[in-house]
């Protein structure tokens, strides 16, 4: 009988990763005492873990505060990951073209653990623009990059990805499942999904699906901008078709044959 992979977990390695994952953006620096409380580990154990990670470059200590922060090796690993993803290598010139054409921020996102995660972005050259949210886990039901997966997946996948209770982020967030499903049908019909201030107030985004040679949706390309610059008319006449064309071009590069 084959054993589950969790049976092979090495506790010390797991604890070391727990330490690294505490630096999640909420706090840039953390001390031994706070890490000990968060992880429910003895201070001495936490100190030894930090010392090991520091020696390998994954953690560094701020000598002025004695607190710890992520080290340069974390950045290097992240860059290695990004470089290995074929979708990103192919997407970069397409994002640059779309951002230049629309004069708005263009980004590419993928599905990870039930959330849409932007992996790369080219920001607008305008003074007021959408800042890229690279690496942030975005909800599926109220973002354009998330709706793309919901709009183009099977009914079974939709039941798995879409929770019964939909969280409300702004006054425009759709929290009623039937209304959202109807919007997803419209997105599937027109070839792109739209988020009009549903996750971030006064921010609008438009996204289209990216498929690979298996015909599966493997990502999404999006344009994001302040809502006052993305009117419904501009979305229909310019940005929607632009995003759909960009996603189609990226799909071709990944082997998709329509």
């Amino acid at each position: 009988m084959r054993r589950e992979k969790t049976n092979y977990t090495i506790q010390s390695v797991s604890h070391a990763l727990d330490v690294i994952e505490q630096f999640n953006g909420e706090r840039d620096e953390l001390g031994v005492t706070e890490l000990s409380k968060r992880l429910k580990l003895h201070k001495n154990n936490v100190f030894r873990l930090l010392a090991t990670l520091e020696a390998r470059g994954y953690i560094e200590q701020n000598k002025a505060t004695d607190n710890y922060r992520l080290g340069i090796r974390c950045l290097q690993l992240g860059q290695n990951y990004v470089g290995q993803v074929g979708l990103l290598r192919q997407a970069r010139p397409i994002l640059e073209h779309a951002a230049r054409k629309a004069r708005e921020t263009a980004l590419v996102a993928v599905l990870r653990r039930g959330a849409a995660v932007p992996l790369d972005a080219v920001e607008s050259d305008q003074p007021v623009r959408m800042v890229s949210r690279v690496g942030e886990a975005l909800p599926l039901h109220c973002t354009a990059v998330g709706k793309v997966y919901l709009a183009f997946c099977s009914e079974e996948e939709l039941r798995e990805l879409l929770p019964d209770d939909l969280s409300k982020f702004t006054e425009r967030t759709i929290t009623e499942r039937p209304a959202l499903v109807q919007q997803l049908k419209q997105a599937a019909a027109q070839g792109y999904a739209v988020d009009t201030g549903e996750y971030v107030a006064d921010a609008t985004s438009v996204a289209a699906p990216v498929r690979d040679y298996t015909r599966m949706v493997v990502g999404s390309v999006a344009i994001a901008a302040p809502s006052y610059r993305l009117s419904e008319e501009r979305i229909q006449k310019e940005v929607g078709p632009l995003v759909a064309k960009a996603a189609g071009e990226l799909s071709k590069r990944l082997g998709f044959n329509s």
Side-chain angles (χ1 to χ4, degrees):
M1 182 176 178
R2 192 171 184 177
R3 298 174 65 187
E4 293 292 329
K5 286 187 177 180
T6 52
N7 294 333
Y8 297 97
T9 299
I10 299 174
Q11 191 175 48
S12 59
V13 177
S14 181
H15 286 329
L17 293 173
D18 287 339
V19 169
I20 292 175
E21 290 174 356
Q22 295 308 303
F23 300 88
N24 55 13
E26 296 177 5
R27 292 278 300 277
D28 293 334
E29 297 185 359
L30 294 169
V32 174
T33 300
E34 185 169 357
L35 284 168
S36 175
K37 290 179 179 178
R38 288 188 179 197
L39 300 174
K40 296 180 174 57
L41 294 174
H42 192 277
K43 286 185 181 180
N44 186 50
N45 290 340
V46 172
F47 180 79
R48 292 172 64 187
L49 288 167
L50 287 168
T52 302
L53 292 167
E54 185 178 13
R56 299 296 297 270
Y58 292 94
I59 291 291
E60 61 185 31
Q61 188 178 30
N62 184 341
K63 302 303 181 183
T65 63
D66 286 335
N67 288 335
Y68 293 85
R69 59 196 176 200
L70 293 179
I72 191 67
R73 281 293 292 152
C74 290
L75 174 61
Q76 292 169 344
L77 275 184
Q79 290 176 329
N80 289 341
Y81 170 77
V82 168
Q84 289 171 2
V85 181
L87 182 146
L88 293 185
R89 288 198 298 270
Q90 299 292 341
R92 188 68 186 185
I94 292 174
L95 294 180
E96 291 174 347
H97 175 77
R100 186 168 58 251
K101 192 82 172 176
R103 293 200 66 201
E104 306 293 358
T105 297
L107 58 97
V108 60
V110 298
L111 183 67
R112 289 287 185 274
R113 296 183 179 181
V117 181
L119 294 184
D120 194 12
V122 176
E123 293 188 2
S124 165
D125 61 357
Q126 303 208 54
V128 179
R129 60 184 181 271
M130 290 297 298
V131 177
S132 59
R133 312 178 77 94
V134 172
E136 181 178 344
L138 305 177
L140 299 182
H141 70 283
C142 58
T143 61
V145 289
K147 289 180 185 179
V148 162
Y149 283 97
L150 300 178
F152 294 91
C153 69
S154 66
E155 291 187 10
E156 181 180 352
E157 290 172 323
L158 184 62
R159 285 193 295 270
E160 293 178 1
L161 292 172
L162 194 60
D164 293 329
D165 297 323
L166 303 177
S167 300
K168 189 176 184 66
F169 293 92
T170 73
E171 292 302 314
R172 298 184 65 88
T173 304
I174 299 175
T175 57
E176 297 180 359
R177 192 184 183 95
L180 178 61
V181 170
Q182 185 60 40
Q183 188 186 76
L184 295 176
K185 291 180 180 179
Q186 180 181 350
Q190 65 191 11
Y192 59 85
V194 180
D195 149 33
T196 54
E198 297 164 45
Y199 181 56
V200 176
D202 302 321
T204 293
S205 58
V206 185
V210 176
R211 301 176 187 271
D212 66 3
Y213 64 94
T214 67
R215 307 183 69 83
M216 297 291 292
V217 176
V218 295
S220 59
V221 169
I223 292 288
S227 294
Y228 71 88
R229 288 208 301 263
L230 281 188
S231 64
E232 183 176 349
E233 180 180 7
R234 188 185 178 205
I235 290 173
Q236 292 180 351
K237 292 184 177 181
E238 177 192 350
V239 178
L242 175 63
V243 168
K245 183 177 180 180
E249 175 61 29
L250 181 52
S251 296
K252 287 181 181 179
R253 294 191 181 196
L254 296 177
F256 175 67
N257 188 344
S258 59

